[in-house]
Amino acid sequence: STTATTTSISLTWDAAERAESYELRRNGEVIYTGAATSFADSDLTPGTTYSYELKAINSGGASTTVTLSATTLPQPPNAITNFTGTATTTSVTLTWDASERAAGYIVKRDGVNVYEGSALTFTENGLTPDTNYSYELVASNAGGETTPSTITVKTIKVAPTAPTNLASTSATTTSISLTWDAAERAESYELRRNGEVIYTGEATSFADSGLTPGTTYSYELKAINSGGASTTVTLSATTLPQPPNAITNFTGTATTTSVTLTWDASE
């Protein structure tokens, strides 16, 4: 029987009746003669199969030959490269490059195996949003394992709720002031006027200026965080018209009991 490493094969056998010594050959070449019932064959090539022949000898001759084939273990796999992770709110997808000589891969999270197989990707589902997860990855074969490659991946936050109570609190001829209630999980807000972004930031109010008097504007507002954007809320608001022009030709004519006033139309 044999046990192997990457560069050696250790052979053992039971003593043969009347044996004075033994002769062991590897691939036809004598590598051992002696009385021991074991031999460690070293300096071999990893992942290679060798043929052994063994016979017992005494002064009367040699026994029949027994044969055995044995294989050294392969070299351990090369180190893993490009171990990366991408996340959603409830999942992490891990990918890595193939490791030379790897027979398979093992992924652990918090010391517990979550994947064993030959694929170069693994997705873990059912995770908690906005949470860090630490992973270890090793490539393995019969010759051993690589040093673990480690990464930490954070799941994405749940997208915020939509802002509420978007309102125009005041208007002038050239400005409209908007306010809204804070949205749950919001990190910032994006406000558009007629499709164009006019504000991004954390405040829950914005004064839109430089507008045209007596004009209606359409506003769109959404809350944003690293997990995405909320649904959009909309509002239409109108600037005040310009005041009328000054009155001209304001005149009056009288009788004994009446006054008639006249003036030109004001724009």
Side-chain angles (χ1 to χ4, degrees):
S1 63
T2 64
T3 57
T5 69
T6 54
T7 58
S8 69
I9 295 174
S10 296
L11 303 101
T12 63
W13 56 89
D14 293 341
E17 190 176 350
R18 297 183 299 279
E20 296 173 356
S21 65
Y22 301 91
E23 179 187 275
L24 178 67
R25 292 173 179 263
R26 183 216 313 127
N27 296 347
E29 179 184 355
V30 175
I31 57 172
Y32 171 72
T33 56
T37 57
S38 63
F39 179 73
D41 190 14
S42 58
D43 297 325
L44 304 180
T45 302
T48 302
T49 299
Y50 296 92
S51 297
Y52 293 95
E53 299 173 350
L54 176 68
K55 58 187 176 182
I57 300 171
N58 66 15
S59 56
S63 70
T64 56
T65 301
V66 293
T67 61
L68 177 72
S69 291
T71 304
T72 50
L73 298 180
Q75 285 182 311
N78 282 1
I80 291 171
T81 56
N82 292 329
F83 181 34
T84 60
T86 56
T88 68
T89 52
T90 58
S91 70
V92 169
T93 297
L94 306 173
T95 60
W96 56 90
D97 290 346
S99 171
E100 187 178 357
R101 296 184 301 275
Y105 303 91
I106 301 171
V107 176
K108 294 183 178 182
R109 175 171 56 80
D110 300 327
V112 178
N113 285 14
V114 292
Y115 172 75
E116 291 187 38
S118 58
L120 302 179
T121 183
F122 167 68
T123 298
E124 185 175 22
N125 296 299
L127 303 179
T128 302
D130 196 27
T131 303
N132 284 319
Y133 291 91
S134 297
Y135 292 93
E136 292 184 359
L137 172 66
V138 297
S140 65
N141 65 17
E145 296 181 348
T146 59
T147 300
S149 297
T150 61
I151 59 171
T152 297
V153 184
K154 188 173 186 178
T155 48
I156 296 173
K157 290 182 178 181
V158 175
T161 59
T164 55
N165 295 325
L166 174 61
S168 170
T169 56
S170 64
T172 69
T173 54
T174 58
S175 69
I176 295 172
S177 295
L178 302 165
T179 63
W180 56 89
D181 292 343
E184 188 178 353
R185 297 183 301 275
E187 295 172 356
S188 64
Y189 300 91
E190 179 187 274
L191 179 66
R192 292 174 179 260
R193 183 213 314 125
N194 296 348
E196 179 183 357
V197 175
I198 57 172
Y199 170 72
T200 56
E202 299 177 7
T204 56
S205 62
F206 180 72
D208 191 16
S209 58
L211 305 179
T212 302
T215 303
T216 299
Y217 294 92
S218 296
Y219 293 95
E220 299 174 350
L221 176 69
K222 59 185 176 182
I224 299 172
N225 67 16
S226 57
S230 71
T231 55
T232 300
V233 294
T234 61
L235 176 73
S236 292
T238 305
T239 51
L240 298 180
Q242 284 182 317
N245 284 358
I247 292 172
T248 58
N249 295 325
F250 182 35
T251 61
T253 58
T255 69
T256 54
T257 59
S258 68
V259 171
T260 298
L261 305 173
T262 63
W263 56 90
D264 290 346
S266 172
E267 185 179 354

